Amino acid sequence: MSETVWNKTSFPKVGIRPTIDGRCNGVRESLEKQVMGMAKSAAAMISKTLKYPDGSAVECVIADTNIGGCVEAQACAEKFTRENVGVSLTVTPCWCYGSETMDMTPSIPKAVWGFNGTERPGAVYLAAVLAGYAQKGLPAFGIYGQEVQDSNDTSIPEDVQVKVLRFVKGGLAVAIMRGKSYLSMGTSSMGIAGSFVDSDFFQCYLGMRTENVDMCEIDRRIGAGIYDPQEFKKALAWTKKHCKEGQDTNKRSIQKSRKEKTADWEYVVKMAIIMRDMMVGNPKLAELGFPEEALGRGAIASGFQGQRQWTDYKPNGDFAEAMLSSSFDWNGIRAPYMVATENDSLNGVCMLLMYLLTNRAQIFADVRTFWSADAVKRVTGKKMTGINANGFIHLLNSGAATLDSCGKQREKGKPSMKPFWEISRKEADACLAATEWCPADVEYFRGGGFSSSLLSEGGMPMTMTRISMVKGIGPILQIVEGWSTKLPAAVHKKLMDRTNPTWPCTWFVPRLTGKGAFKDVYSVMNNWSANHGAISYGHIGADVTTLASMLRIPVAMSNVDEADVYRPHAWGLFGTDCPESADYRACAAYGPLYS
């Protein structure tokens, strides 16, 4: 494995706060061991199950003592500050003094697990402290198991585990983003709204900086040799070996010569190295006499404008974007970088959110075409059956999708997109072998370049998301769970030939609910809010929903099962008959997390 974007990162920890009834001379003493044992069980479960983006186990910090009142709560808060705690979980099996033991840190996501037992009123404390949090304007998640447990039962029921892990995953995403940067390479691409980078959104909702660099910086670094020449030599040799060139579909009269294509290959490989260095830095540059450039921009996500001011005369960014977004390159298997095509920062944020929840590479795509079964039959003469019978959506972008999206990695024998530390060399090679790099369509990209051409295998569970900005409301989020699907080869070819057969393709079928935006596939497409979507492996809509509530971003459209929706307890005080409306009201009332 090579160096990754996370090498210099000190990851936030999960703080566990065991709270206790402070009455001494009998009550507290009888509970000390049970309360601290509950905290240790929670910490062990979290560290055993969850991993940071570099593959290491999530670390937990437990308060030095059980917390019976304000002084011990203050001591715990001081320890959490020293230990870089970014997520707070309070646990207890008994009654405690609510506002005296609660976590008062406003920007740290917080939850309370009240043990469901009859010996002591853990549920009563849970209700009391959640009421206190609501009154103080500090939204907190409540965790309470469905079944009564015995006081000596140290196990964590499955329903409690689901909520604890969902909360912690979302909370860690919030904490990891805080203070990091989005690097905007260029500005607005072709008038796309999402590529007008909104620094207020990043600051107030995500706690992130925005860094802006003109695209000419890439050309400057190429011209001035501000890159590691040894790495370039290695990367170019690797590219020649593993990145096979595909067909040139341009008219012969406008095709580039072999000499020009060879020069383009050298240029796009340098672009990939330089764009990565601009994001995260490279100590090798300091050795070469470029200490400022060696620092990078502390970016955990970025976007490259490309069209048109760059691509009208320079090779496009497809190779750089696709390789950076993948989990492997000439340095080996490593964590993917989040790079948004056309600098669509709002789609880049969705990629980042889902990446932090899953540790998996993300797909950037145009939400391009709805194909009904009738339209497919008219065009191809073939009747669609099975999962394709209700139609499907064509996800197709300009050649910059992660190579992981071909689905050549395997989990339990099925196509997958895995965390990088689970990917074998054989699987990475299979993804490379499934990808061709076709000379760019020079009517689109006058400067040339190469676009990745691949097809996602069918059967992968997927979640597609999109954040859009609405004047007067702010950011809203859309979530669609579904699956990649396989079409008959002749149908696939016929439909691809109607658009651009040299670009990466995913055929996507949403899960329908029979109502609203999910009554049919056409309605999903018709209600989508923008031209792009970010797509993650797995049905993770419930996790995304929880994270969105932490950031105060309401969900406008979702096919997540209502039973799986998990938001702060106070959301129920904004109404229970229509959770979607309550979500809007709660997000408006609390405002952005960092406002």
Side-chain angles (χ1 to χ4, degrees):
M1 295 178 188
S2 68
E3 292 189 358
T4 76
V5 64
W6 301 111
N7 277 6
K8 301 174 185 177
T9 298
S10 176
F11 288 111
K13 300 172 185 175
V14 179
I16 312 292
R17 306 176 70 259
T19 56
I20 196 168
D21 190 324
R23 286 173 285 202
C24 294
N25 300 321
V27 177
R28 178 166 182 153
E29 292 83 354
S30 69
L31 292 164
E32 293 277 15
K33 185 176 180 180
Q34 182 186 2
V35 173
M36 186 58 72
M38 191 174 172
K40 291 178 179 178
S41 293
M45 187 267 291
I46 290 167
S47 294
K48 180 181 178 181
T49 308
L50 300 181
K51 294 185 183 298
Y52 292 120
D54 69 346
S56 61
V58 168
E59 295 185 46
C60 295
V61 175
I62 301 175
D64 291 334
T65 67
N66 290 321
I67 300 168
C70 295
V71 172
E72 288 162 320
Q74 291 164 357
C76 176
E78 291 171 3
K79 179 178 183 179
F80 283 6
T81 299
R82 293 193 306 270
E83 294 285 346
N84 189 29
V85 165
V87 184
S88 170
L89 174 64
T90 299
V91 302
T92 191
C94 61
W95 167 253
C96 318
Y97 307 150
S99 59
E100 296 178 16
T101 59
M102 65 167 53
D103 183 347
M104 295 286 286
T105 309
S107 61
I108 291 182
K110 49 188 61 61
V112 183
W113 171 24
F115 186 80
N116 186 358
T118 56
E119 289 82 1
R120 299 281 182 175
V124 177
Y125 168 70
L126 175 62
V129 76
L130 290 175
Y133 276 125
Q135 188 168 324
K136 292 177 180 294
L138 299 172
F141 290 78
I143 303 169
Y144 182 61
Q146 290 189 11
E147 303 298 335
V148 172
Q149 293 178 262
D150 298 331
S151 61
N152 61 355
D153 186 352
T154 59
S155 67
I156 304 178
E158 184 177 353
D159 62 324
V160 171
Q161 289 188 41
V162 168
K163 288 186 175 180
V164 168
L165 295 175
R166 185 158 289 155
F167 162 73
V168 171
K169 281 191 285 187
L172 284 173
V174 170
I176 290 171
M177 284 187 290
R178 189 181 301 128
K180 302 299 192 303
S181 302
Y182 176 89
L183 175 60
S184 172
M185 291 176 275
T187 56
S188 171
S189 175
M190 303 180 292
I192 294 171
S195 63
F196 289 88
V197 180
D198 186 338
S199 60
D200 285 344
F201 164 68
F202 277 90
Q203 175 186 331
C204 297
Y205 283 89
L206 309 178
M208 290 176 60
R209 302 169 181 266
T210 52
E211 297 284 328
N212 300 279
V213 179
D214 195 284
M215 291 181 291
C216 69
E217 172 66 4
I218 296 170
D219 198 46
R220 181 185 79 88
R221 292 194 185 201
I222 290 176
I226 308 176
Y227 56 87
D228 181 350
Q230 294 303 313
E231 183 181 10
F232 168 64
K233 183 178 179 181
K234 175 183 178 182
L236 185 62
W238 179 91
T239 300
K240 289 178 178 179
K241 180 179 179 180
H242 293 285
C243 299
K244 56 188 176 185
E245 191 173 308
Q247 64 175 327
D248 190 337
T249 59
N250 292 290
K251 292 178 289 188
R252 285 190 177 276
S253 61
I254 58 175
Q255 287 183 8
K256 285 196 168 189
S257 68
R258 181 66 265 166
K259 183 179 180 181
E260 290 173 319
K261 289 175 181 176
T262 298
D264 280 357
W265 273 119
E266 294 179 3
Y267 198 93
V268 299
V269 170
K270 290 176 183 177
M271 282 180 67
I273 294 171
I274 288 169
M275 286 165 64
R276 179 207 61 201
D277 290 351
M278 289 170 65
M279 288 181 68
V280 301
N282 185 347
K284 185 67 176 179
L285 299 183
E287 298 175 20
L288 297 172
F290 304 104
E292 181 181 359
E293 291 86 348
L295 295 175
R297 299 283 177 160
I300 58 172
S302 69
F304 177 68
Q305 175 193 332
Q307 298 185 77
R308 285 183 45 201
Q309 286 75 12
W310 178 273
T311 57
D312 273 5
Y313 82 114
K314 293 288 185 183
N316 65 18
D318 286 3
F319 178 81
E321 293 166 21
M323 289 311 310
L324 289 173
S325 296
S326 300
S327 302
F328 41 82
D329 61 15
W330 45 89
N331 288 320
I333 298 170
R334 45 88 178 141
Y337 296 81
M338 298 298 107
V339 184
T341 300
E342 294 159 354
N343 198 26
D344 185 346
S345 62
L346 296 179
N347 218 51
V349 166
C350 290
M351 294 170 70
L352 176 61
L353 298 184
M354 294 193 291
Y355 169 54
L356 293 176
L357 290 171
T358 65
N359 297 322
R360 301 171 191 255
Q362 302 295 309
I363 303 171
F364 184 108
D366 287 346
V367 184
R368 199 165 185 94
T369 310
F370 161 67
W371 279 98
S372 69
D374 289 342
V376 174
K377 188 172 183 180
R378 179 182 63 81
V379 169
T380 69
K382 300 290 185 179
K383 180 180 179 180
M384 293 293 96
T385 59
I387 193 174
N388 300 324
N390 295 314
F392 44 82
I393 293 172
H394 197 182
L395 304 178
L396 182 82
N397 82 340
S398 61
T402 172
L403 272 57
D404 299 59
S405 65
C406 66
K408 297 301 180 184
Q409 299 158 27
R410 289 291 186 266
E411 285 187 77
K412 298 181 180 178
K414 296 181 178 180
S416 179
M417 297 167 60
K418 302 197 294 190
F420 79 90
W421 59 85
E422 295 181 4
I423 299 172
S424 68
R425 182 71 263 173
K426 182 179 179 181
E427 289 173 321
D429 288 344
C431 293
L432 289 162
T435 306
E436 290 187 341
W437 296 91
C438 299
D441 180 344
V442 294
E443 292 181 348
Y444 266 78
F445 305 112
R446 298 172 186 173
F450 298 90
S451 297
S452 60
S453 176
L454 59 86
L455 172 64
S456 298
E457 287 197 28
M460 288 191 284
M462 289 181 159
T463 301
M464 182 167 71
T465 65
R466 174 69 196 191
I467 289 175
S468 290
M469 302 297 292
V470 180
K471 189 174 180 63
I473 297 177
I476 63 93
L477 176 67
Q478 295 178 305
I479 303 171
V480 179
E481 292 184 340
W483 299 267
S484 63
T485 188
K486 180 180 180 179
L487 303 183
V491 173
H492 165 76
K493 185 177 187 309
K494 188 79 171 181
L495 301 189
M496 280 294 289
D497 285 346
R498 291 174 65 96
T499 174
N500 194 316
T502 68
W503 291 350
C505 165
T506 303
W507 303 107
F508 177 68
V509 176
R511 185 178 65 245
L512 302 178
T513 65
K515 60 181 181 180
F518 295 94
K519 65 182 179 181
D520 51 41
V521 180
Y522 169 78
S523 296
V524 174
M525 179 77 178
N526 200 39
N527 281 280
W528 198 246
S529 66
N531 52 312
H532 293 146
I535 301 95
S536 179
Y537 177 88
H539 287 158
I540 62 165
D543 292 338
V544 176
T545 301
T546 295
L547 174 54
S549 68
M550 293 177 177
L551 301 172
R552 320 287 197 259
I553 300 175
V555 177
M557 170 181 164
S558 171
N559 60 348
V560 175
D561 191 313
E562 192 170 306
D564 294 327
V565 172
Y566 183 43
R567 294 184 172 110
H569 188 265
W571 261 235
L573 302 179
F574 290 85
T576 57
D577 283 346
C578 183
E580 187 175 280
S581 296
D583 184 30
Y584 268 83
R585 290 192 292 273
C587 289
Y590 287 112
L593 182 58
Y594 303 102
S595 61

